[in-house]
Amino acid sequence: MRLKLVLYAVLCVLCVPFVFPTWWMITTSMKPISEVFDFSLIPQVWDLSSYARVFEMQPFGQQYLNSLYIAVVVTIGTMAVAAMAGYAFARIRFPGQNVLFVVVLVGLLIPSEVTIVPLFQMFNRLGLINTHWPLIVVPILGAPSVLATFIMRQFFLTLPGELEEAARVDGLGRFGTFYRVALPLARPALGAVAIFTFLHSWNLYLEPIVYLSTPDMFTLPQALTQFVDAYGGPLWNVQLAAASMTAVPILVVFVLAQRHFIEGLAHTGLKG
């Protein structure tokens, strides 16, 4: 019992560096601008007007919806592409399989800043600038999907081959085996992929700045930089109010998928 108490005490202390910034962000968003930098843990005067000003200064509701639907579409698309690609690399034997997989992994080594200019030129020719298509297509087919494919491949390698043999005996083809047998068993890995992908899409900053130009099309990371006063100075309490609301979906997604996230990562490195 004493050991558990000591362990809990140590964990509580270790949580402080992670919990304190979030606590400070939320409480400071409820302070008047004059008290933002007093670093008190609890506001002396509770002021919720900054949350109303978030929606008055920007079309924040539309921007919130933009980020939410883009993140959901990118997450679903990445899960679909990564699951099929990971299963193919894990179960389908073909010449040059390992070489092709290494080539795919090399995509993780290419910074997004390197490809942003040619991608901008390509989408500009297609007339897709100031639309959300670049923010949806590029992540699904880019580096986030590569990492997701690696996670899915490693997970499918851990599944016993006897499961597929039994499915073939029952008359299932390759896709039927994948859809009815392998995919339901891959929920832990899909949970890990969902968290990684949603978080990456939700926090995407460089690409929206490059591709989007009107406030109605902005995503949240881009919108957070727009809460300034008449002289261009940041309105800290308003920015923190917007940031507090921005953090909610990430917390919800992680709470819902954390068990699958941990289990999926635990299975990722079991077999190469």
Side-chain angles (χ1 to χ4, degrees):
M1 179 62 69
R2 291 182 179 179
L3 182 60
K4 286 186 177 180
L5 292 177
V6 172
L7 179 60
Y8 289 150
V10 172
L11 291 175
C12 289
V13 173
L14 293 177
C15 284
V16 172
F18 303 96
V19 175
F20 177 75
T22 304
W23 175 263
W24 183 85
M25 176 182 69
I26 295 173
T27 55
T28 305
S29 69
M30 301 178 185
K31 296 178 182 179
I33 190 67
S34 59
E35 297 182 12
V36 167
F37 293 106
D38 64 4
F39 293 101
S40 58
L41 296 179
I42 299 177
Q44 298 178 3
V45 177
W46 294 86
D47 183 9
L48 300 179
S49 62
S50 56
Y51 284 85
R53 293 188 65 188
V54 169
F55 295 92
E56 294 171 358
M57 297 180 66
Q58 291 283 330
F60 193 73
Q62 180 63 48
Q63 294 163 350
Y64 209 100
L65 182 62
N66 293 341
S67 282
L68 188 60
Y69 99 80
I70 290 173
V72 170
V73 172
V74 169
T75 300
I76 294 174
T78 300
M79 290 170 64
V81 171
M84 290 187 288
Y87 181 79
F89 279 119
R91 293 303 191 193
I92 302 176
R93 303 301 175 204
F94 55 89
Q97 176 186 19
N98 293 330
V99 175
L100 180 59
F101 185 65
V102 171
V103 172
V104 172
L105 290 182
V106 169
L108 291 174
L109 304 179
I110 303 176
S112 60
E113 294 80 3
V114 174
T115 60
I116 194 71
V117 173
L119 285 174
F120 177 85
Q121 293 176 341
M122 180 185 72
F123 285 114
N124 188 38
R125 292 193 186 101
L126 295 174
L128 297 178
I129 297 301
N130 201 34
T131 71
H132 294 146
W133 282 108
L135 306 182
I136 295 174
V137 175
V138 175
I140 292 177
L141 302 178
S145 186
V146 173
L147 178 60
T149 298
F150 173 77
I151 293 175
M152 297 305 300
R153 172 187 179 270
Q154 296 303 107
F155 187 90
F156 284 131
L157 286 174
T158 66
L159 297 181
E162 291 79 5
L163 293 175
E164 294 187 359
E165 294 176 3
R168 291 195 186 96
V169 170
D170 290 337
L172 290 177
R174 178 68 70 180
F175 184 79
T177 302
F178 163 74
Y179 183 74
R180 296 179 179 274
V181 178
L183 195 60
L185 295 174
R187 289 180 182 175
L190 290 173
V193 168
I195 290 181
F196 276 129
T197 307
F198 191 93
L199 182 61
H200 178 270
S201 178
W202 189 260
N203 291 331
L204 206 61
Y205 180 69
L206 174 63
E207 287 78 358
I209 288 180
V210 173
Y211 295 122
L212 305 179
S213 57
T214 57
D216 287 340
M217 301 298 293
F218 284 177
T219 57
L220 290 179
Q222 187 178 7
L224 291 177
T225 64
Q226 306 299 310
F227 296 104
V228 296
D229 58 23
Y231 302 98
L235 296 171
W236 294 110
N237 56 341
V238 180
Q239 285 189 355
L240 290 172
S244 298
M245 290 186 283
T246 300
V248 171
I250 296 297
L251 297 176
V252 171
V253 170
F254 186 79
V255 168
L256 294 178
Q258 62 176 333
R259 181 173 62 86
H260 296 305
F261 175 73
I262 297 172
E263 186 177 349
L265 291 183
H267 283 83
T268 297
L270 290 182
K271 188 174 182 180

